[in-house]
Amino acid sequence: MTETTFFIPSLNMMGAGCLTNAVGNVYSYGFRRALIVTDSVMNSLGVADKLGALLAAAGVSSVIFPGAQPNPTVGNVEAGLALLQQEQCDCVISLGGGSSHDCAKGIALTATNGGSIRDYEGVDKSAKAQLPLIAINTTAGTASEMTRFCIITDEQRMVKMAIVDRNVTPLLSVNDPELMLGKPPMLTAATGMDALTHAVEAYVSVAATPITDACALKAVSIIAGNLRTAVAEGNNLAAREAMAYAGFMAGMAFNNASLGFVHAMAHQLGGFYDLPHGVCNAVLLPHVEEFNADIAASRLKDVAHALGVDTLGMSDRQGADACIAAIRRLSADIGIPSGLTQLGVKDQDIPILAANALKDACGLTNPRRASQADIESIFRAAA
């Protein structure tokens, strides 16, 4: 095996009620003025204010930036950075799902490295560690609370930039399932399928290792057993906690084995049409794995088994087909749209979407190489 590196935050807190102890750690680290990066919904619900009160009780003052859009933009990062500098904050705390975490990463990275977040598109483009980031997660799926991935939309080019950089790894991640209770069914479905996509793409990745394999397959198994319940019963704490662990383990897998064409393509849909990332992943996943099946059939058979399929006696190709069918069943059961046309994707846009997908760093570890024509064909099959 070649030399590998395993990236993960230095401290990760999991379990119901762990937020209280996590806030105490912020003070212990020596931070005294935090920028809370969140979205308008979390802010309007008062969750950000409650976090601010917990921080104040622990001796840490804070200011709230509620400007993280569902697909955070360069403009969001710049606005948050301006507030951070104005308020002289010494750390950043993200509160929410992947959008809040990614926006916070962009702010923290440019706070220490300067320039525009556009300067850091690609792999390990920054020179300095970001401002310390504590990531408090309120959804189960994106894993941005613990990864070295930061996805920011460039409004000028209408593309999502993949910033893959060890320096955006949070200092501390927090997954308290009590914060995940009551989330809407479609949000739960989308983030859960995002986690499944992370696990599958990491498992078939050319950069997979025994560690990432173990994390990926366990994540798939937990998702198969709990996502339907989490969608149907939003206040089921056991299902929420299980999905929090699944999302985190899938994150451990792809943070180190990377991803594939599902994400490279989904990023373009999000940047071009401002579509929900997890839904795009869910629609694309079976079509990309059909493309990969000739190369990665045995691996997809393993995924089928983790999804609960009885693969005994199946050939590798039969197992791969069973995997793809199981993914489609899960998506249908939780209300994921069946095609991209339902999301407003237009055929005339597919050539530019495919061209941009081939430039996305997430596609570099896909098990099967592809031409622009291949990517266009996958987009059209998923329509």
Side-chain angles (χ1 to χ4, degrees):
M1 293 182 64
T2 58
E3 179 180 324
T4 62
T5 304
F6 196 83
F7 298 98
I8 192 171
S10 58
L11 183 61
N12 304 277
M13 302 183 70
M14 310 281 296
C18 69
L19 177 62
T20 301
N21 287 334
V23 167
N25 281 331
V26 177
Y27 183 86
S28 298
Y29 282 130
F31 308 135
R32 297 296 180 266
R33 179 87 171 145
L35 178 73
I36 299 174
V37 177
T38 192
D39 58 46
S40 59
V41 174
M42 297 296 290
N43 191 50
S44 65
L45 291 174
V47 181
D49 286 332
K50 291 177 182 177
L51 174 59
L54 288 172
L55 288 165
V60 180
S61 65
S62 62
V63 60
I64 298 170
F65 174 69
Q69 295 176 199
N71 288 304
T73 65
V74 172
N76 296 162
V77 171
E78 292 173 346
L81 177 62
L83 181 60
L84 179 143
Q85 293 171 334
Q86 175 187 315
E87 296 291 332
Q88 298 183 320
C89 298
D90 58 8
C91 69
V92 180
I93 300 177
S94 55
L95 174 69
S99 298
S100 295
H101 303 318
D102 284 357
C103 186
K105 289 175 179 180
I107 294 167
L109 192 69
T110 51
T112 56
N113 284 271
S116 167
I117 192 61
R118 293 184 181 94
D119 299 333
Y120 306 104
E121 182 178 8
V123 180
D124 288 334
K125 294 294 182 68
S126 70
K128 302 175 183 176
Q130 67 180 358
L131 203 67
L133 171 62
I134 293 90
I136 300 172
N137 203 28
T138 64
T139 65
T142 73
S144 185
E145 80 278 3
M146 53 79 63
T147 69
R148 60 192 174 106
F149 285 69
C150 171
I151 310 299
I152 302 295
T153 297
D154 184 339
E155 314 96 312
Q156 295 179 5
R157 293 182 291 153
M158 294 178 66
V159 298
K160 276 190 171 185
M161 301 181 295
I163 298 157
V164 186
D165 196 313
R166 67 186 66 199
N167 284 330
V168 302
T169 304
L171 175 66
L172 165 65
S173 79
V174 181
N175 274 281
D176 185 337
E178 291 182 353
L179 296 174
M180 303 171 189
L181 295 174
K183 292 294 184 294
M186 185 46 66
L187 175 62
T188 303
T191 55
M193 290 304 293
D194 192 15
L196 180 65
T197 305
H198 292 156
V200 174
E201 290 212 286
Y203 191 69
V204 301
S205 165
V206 297
T209 70
I211 298 175
T212 63
D213 285 351
C215 293
L217 289 180
K218 186 62 176 178
V220 170
S221 177
I222 295 175
I223 292 166
N226 292 276
L227 180 53
R228 290 177 177 88
T229 302
V231 171
E233 305 171 20
N235 287 312
N236 187 314
L237 184 60
R240 291 292 186 183
E241 185 166 51
M243 286 303 301
Y245 274 101
F248 190 89
M249 284 187 285
M252 291 172 68
F254 90 83
N255 197 37
N256 296 282
S258 197
L259 293 160
F261 287 141
V262 179
H263 273 77
M265 296 168 71
H267 288 159
Q268 311 323 311
L269 296 172
F272 203 85
Y273 299 107
D274 198 28
L275 293 172
H277 175 67
V279 174
C280 294
N281 278 343
V283 174
L284 289 166
L285 179 59
H287 298 280
V288 171
E289 299 319 319
E290 282 185 338
F291 175 79
N292 287 333
D294 288 342
I295 301 294
S298 65
R299 294 234 133 198
L300 291 171
K301 181 182 176 183
D302 293 341
V303 174
H305 181 72
L307 284 165
V309 175
D310 182 0
T311 57
L312 186 65
M314 288 186 180
S315 67
D316 288 346
R317 183 64 205 217
Q318 288 171 330
D321 291 342
C323 170
I324 292 162
I327 291 169
R328 287 195 165 110
R329 283 195 301 274
L330 177 57
S331 285
D333 287 349
I334 59 176
I336 296 292
S338 60
L340 297 177
T341 303
Q342 293 176 251
L343 302 177
V345 177
K346 298 178 175 62
D347 186 79
Q348 65 261 32
D349 297 329
I350 286 178
I352 186 64
L353 294 171
N356 288 335
L358 283 175
K359 300 173 187 175
D360 191 297
C362 288
L364 295 176
T365 52
N366 197 77
R368 182 178 174 186
R369 296 296 89 207
S371 65
Q372 181 170 332
D374 291 327
I375 300 298
E376 289 184 23
S377 294
I378 297 170
F379 270 126
R380 290 194 169 99

